[in-house]
C-alpha cells in the first residue's frame, strides 16, 4: 500500500492537513484510532471566525451551536468585566459533528480514510520516515508514504517514534474536566470565565453556551494536590443544572515544541503544542498550522524533496504566521501565574473602569503609584 501522504489522526489537525493536500491532487490516507471521528470530545468547543477563513468554509448551523459576541470575566471576589467583540467573538461548535464534517469534506476531495486503525511502528530507510506499520481490525498493514503527518494528540506516539521531543509533563499540561450540562441559566451569546486559586489554580473555569439552556461547563487547572474533576464538582455543586456528558483530558500550555519536523515527517496540533498557552484554545491555531503542513507536503512531493531540509519550511511558515501570537499568549499566562487572588481582584477593579482599547498612560501611572507591586507586571506587558 503506497500513498503520497499518510496523516495520523482525524480530528481538526489531521482533517485540515488531509483536505489541503488532497485538494492539490496528492494521494492521501488519513487514519484514526477510534471507530468514529469526533468522539470522544476533548475540547471546550469554542473557536474564532479565523478558523473558517483558514478552512475556506462558511460556518454552518449543522455544527455551530451558538454565535458568540463577547465574554464576561469574573475575578475571585466576583468583580465582573465585560468584553464585547474583537478577540472574544466566535462560535461554539458541536465537535462531534464538526470534526466528522471536516473529514467528510476531505474525503470528498479524495482523501482515503481508515477508522479503528492504530500505528504500531514507523517504516524508515536510511534514517528517513517513509511510511508506517498499522493494525486495522486485526490485520497488520505496511503503508508506505513520501510524507507522514502526525496529528495524534498530546501523547503523540508517531512523533516520538520519529525521534522528536514532544513529550509533555505535568508542569507543561493543564488538566481539564468538563460537563455538558442542561438547564444552565446564561446569555446564549456570551462566554463566561471565572478566575481564582480557590476555584481553578493555574487556570480558569469556563461556561460556554450551546443554546437551549445547554452549556459546556469546565475547569482547567495546574494543581499537584487536587484533580480538575474535583474542582469541577465543587463549582457545579450549586448549579441547578444536569450533566449529560463528562470529558476529561489535558491541554499543552507551555507553547510549541522546539522541532515540528524531521526527514519525511511533520507534526501538527496538540502533538506539536500548537495551542494558545493563556487560553488553552487550539482549534484556530491547529487549523492554521495543519493547512501549512498540507501545503508544504504538496510542495515537497512536487519537488521530490521530503528531507528535513525542505520540511523545515513548515516550521518557518507557522512560526512566521502564528509564532508571535503564541509567544505573547505564553507571556500573559506566566504573568497570570504570578498574581495572587487579591492582586487579581485589584487589577479587575481597575480594568473594569477603563476603556480597554485606549487605556491612558496617566491612568496606568496612577494605578502603579497606588499599587507598586504591579510595576514589574506592567514592564513585562509593555
Amino acid at each position: 500500500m503506497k500513498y503520497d501522504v499518510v496523516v495520523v489522526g482525524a480530528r481538526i489537525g489531521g482533517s485540515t492537513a488531509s483536505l489541503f493536500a488532497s485538494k492539490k491532487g496528492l494521494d492521501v490516507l488519513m487514519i484514526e484510532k477510534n471507530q468514529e471521528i469526533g468522539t470522544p470530545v476533548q475540547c471546550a468547543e469554542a473557536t474564532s471566525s479565523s478558523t473558517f477563513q483558514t478552512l475556506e468554509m462558511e460556518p454552518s448551523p449543522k455544527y455551530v451551536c451558538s454565535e458568540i459576541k463577547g465574554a464576561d470575566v469574573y475575578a475571585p471576589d466576583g468583580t465582573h468585566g465585560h468584553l464585547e467583540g474583537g478577540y472574544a467573538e466566535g462560535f461554539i461548535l458541536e465537535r462531534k459533528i464538526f470534526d466528522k464534517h471536516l473529514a467528510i469534506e476531505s474525503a470528498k476531495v479524495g482523501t482515503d480514510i481508515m477508522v479503528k486503525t492504530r500505528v504500531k511502528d514507523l517504516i524508515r530507510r536510511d534514517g528517513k520516515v517513509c511510511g508506517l506499520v498499522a493494525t486495522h481490525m486485526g490485520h497488520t498493514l505496511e503503508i508506505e508514504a513520501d510524507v507522514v503527518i502526525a496529528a495524534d494528540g498530546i501523547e503523540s506516539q508517531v512523533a516520538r517514534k520519529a525521534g522528536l521531543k514532544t513529550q509533555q509533563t505535568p508542569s507543561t499540561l493543564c488538566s481539564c474536566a468538563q460537563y455538558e450540562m442542561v438547564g444552565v441559566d446564561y446569555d446564549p451569546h456570551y462566554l463566561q470565565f471565572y478566575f481564582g486559586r480557590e476555584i481553578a489554580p493555574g487556570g480558569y473555569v469556563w461556561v460556554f453556551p450551546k443554546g437551549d439552556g445547554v452549556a459546556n461547563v469546565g475547569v482547567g487547572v495546574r494543581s499537584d494536590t487536587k484533580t480538575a474533576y474535583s474542582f469541577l464538582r465543587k463549582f457545579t455543586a450549586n448549579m441547578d443544572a444536569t450533566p449529560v456528558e463528562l470529558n476529561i483530558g489535558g491541554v499543552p500550555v507551555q507553547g510549541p515544541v522546539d522541532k515540528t519536523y524531521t526527514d519525511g515527517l511533520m507534526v501538527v496540533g496538540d502533538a506539536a503544542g500548537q495551542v494558545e498557552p493563556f487560553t488553552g484554545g487550539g482549534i484556530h491555531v491547529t487549523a492554521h498550522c495543519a493547512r501549512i503542513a498540507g501545503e508544504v507536503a504538496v510542495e515537497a512531493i512536487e519537488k521530490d524533496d521530503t528531507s528535513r531540509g525542505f520540511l523545515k519550511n513548515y516550521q518557518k511558515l507557522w512560526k512566521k504566521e502564528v509564532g508571535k501570537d503564541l509567544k505573547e499568549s505564553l507571556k500573559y499566562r506566566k504573568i497570570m501565574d504570578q498574581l495572587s487572588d487579591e492582586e487579581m481582584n485589584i487589577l479587575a477593579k481597575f480594568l473594569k473602569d477603563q476603556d480597554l482599547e485606549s487605556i491612558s498612560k496617566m491612568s496606568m501611572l496612577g494605578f502603579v503609584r497606588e499599587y507598586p507591586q504591579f510595576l514589574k507586571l506592567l514592564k513585562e506587558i509593555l
Side-chain angles (χ1 to χ4, degrees):
M1 192 181 296
K2 171 71 169 68
Y3 285 87
D4 294 325
V5 178
V6 173
V7 179
V8 183
R11 301 287 177 126
I12 289 172
S15 287
T16 301
S18 298
L19 176 68
F20 284 93
S22 292
K23 273 184 175 182
K24 294 299 178 81
L26 294 192
D27 197 11
V28 181
L29 171 67
M30 179 167 62
I31 66 174
E32 166 59 42
K33 67 180 179 181
N34 294 309
Q35 64 189 36
E36 182 178 10
I37 294 169
T39 60
V41 173
Q42 293 177 319
C43 176
E45 303 184 295
T47 194
S48 67
S49 58
S50 67
T51 297
F52 295 99
Q53 293 166 10
T54 297
L55 296 173
E56 298 179 349
M57 293 166 50
E58 290 295 323
S60 167
K62 288 192 298 185
Y63 49 73
V64 171
C65 300
S66 184
E67 187 170 351
I68 301 303
K69 299 177 180 179
D72 295 305
V73 183
Y74 294 84
D77 66 356
T79 299
H80 167 219
H82 181 78
L83 302 175
E84 190 73 28
Y87 182 81
E89 284 183 328
F91 303 94
I92 304 297
L93 305 174
E94 185 61 71
R95 285 286 303 271
K96 292 172 186 173
I97 299 174
F98 178 69
D99 287 20
K100 187 179 288 187
H101 172 81
L102 196 53
I104 289 169
E105 290 302 301
S106 184
K108 284 179 179 178
V109 294
T111 300
D112 288 343
I113 299 174
M114 293 177 66
V115 297
K116 211 163 178 60
T117 305
R118 287 182 174 270
V119 175
K120 302 301 290 183
D121 207 350
L122 295 177
I123 300 172
R124 285 189 181 85
R125 292 192 186 93
D126 299 322
K128 181 179 181 181
V129 175
C130 53
L132 51 84
V133 180
T135 58
H136 172 71
M137 305 299 290
H139 298 283
T140 299
L141 308 171
E142 288 195 4
I143 307 166
E144 295 193 13
D146 296 310
V147 175
V148 173
I149 298 177
D152 51 337
I154 58 173
E155 297 177 351
S156 178
Q157 297 298 311
V158 174
R160 293 180 199 179
K161 288 179 185 296
L164 295 176
K165 296 179 180 178
T166 60
Q167 291 91 335
Q168 300 287 339
T169 66
S171 65
T172 64
L173 284 174
C174 191
S175 177
C176 302
Q178 175 180 269
Y179 281 138
E180 184 177 43
M181 304 190 81
V182 178
V184 182
D185 184 19
Y186 58 80
D187 186 316
H189 298 295
Y190 291 88
L191 310 176
Q192 294 178 13
F193 297 94
Y194 298 83
F195 290 87
R197 295 188 180 277
E198 291 300 313
I199 63 167
Y204 59 86
V205 171
W206 64 85
V207 181
F208 288 179
K210 299 182 77 172
D212 296 325
V214 178
N216 288 333
V217 182
V219 57
V221 301
R222 282 175 291 136
S223 171
D224 296 330
T225 57
K226 295 181 181 178
T227 65
Y229 179 62
S230 68
F231 286 103
L232 177 63
R233 288 286 301 272
K234 182 179 178 181
F235 183 82
T236 58
N238 297 319
M239 293 179 66
D240 187 18
T242 302
V244 294
E245 185 173 326
L246 170 66
N247 291 294
I248 293 174
V251 176
V253 291
Q254 194 61 34
V257 300
D258 290 336
K259 192 177 178 186
T260 56
Y261 65 93
T262 188
D263 288 306
L265 182 138
M266 292 176 281
V267 190
V268 303
D270 282 5
Q274 291 164 338
V275 174
E276 287 197 5
F278 182 69
T279 65
I283 293 176
H284 63 296
V285 183
T286 289
H288 195 116
C289 296
R291 174 173 176 168
I292 293 171
E295 292 175 338
V296 167
V298 172
E299 291 182 44
I301 289 169
E302 286 177 348
K303 296 179 184 299
D304 194 25
D305 185 358
T306 58
S307 68
R308 71 181 71 185
F310 188 86
L311 297 185
K312 186 177 183 178
N313 290 325
Y314 160 61
Q315 182 154 314
K316 286 181 179 178
L317 284 168
W318 73 250
K319 280 196 169 185
K320 178 183 177 182
E321 295 179 22
V322 302
K324 182 180 178 182
D325 289 342
L326 295 180
K327 279 186 178 180
E328 287 286 299
S329 183
L330 180 59
K331 179 176 75 173
Y332 289 125
R333 198 220 79 202
K334 289 181 175 179
I335 289 170
M336 185 63 98
D337 287 347
Q338 300 172 33
L339 299 180
S340 66
D341 279 8
E342 181 56 32
E343 288 170 334
M344 287 187 205
N345 295 334
I346 293 169
L347 188 59
K349 287 183 174 68
F350 167 71
L351 293 175
K352 184 178 180 181
D353 297 327
Q354 303 296 316
D355 176 358
L356 297 182
E357 295 294 325
S358 56
I359 295 177
S360 71
K361 290 183 179 179
M362 290 301 293
S363 64
M364 289 299 292
L365 288 172
F367 175 71
V368 171
R369 275 197 294 268
E370 187 173 357
Y371 302 103
Q373 68 267 39
F374 286 97
L375 180 60
K376 181 172 180 288
L377 180 148
L378 181 61
K379 288 180 178 177
E380 289 183 28
I381 292 175
L382 300 177

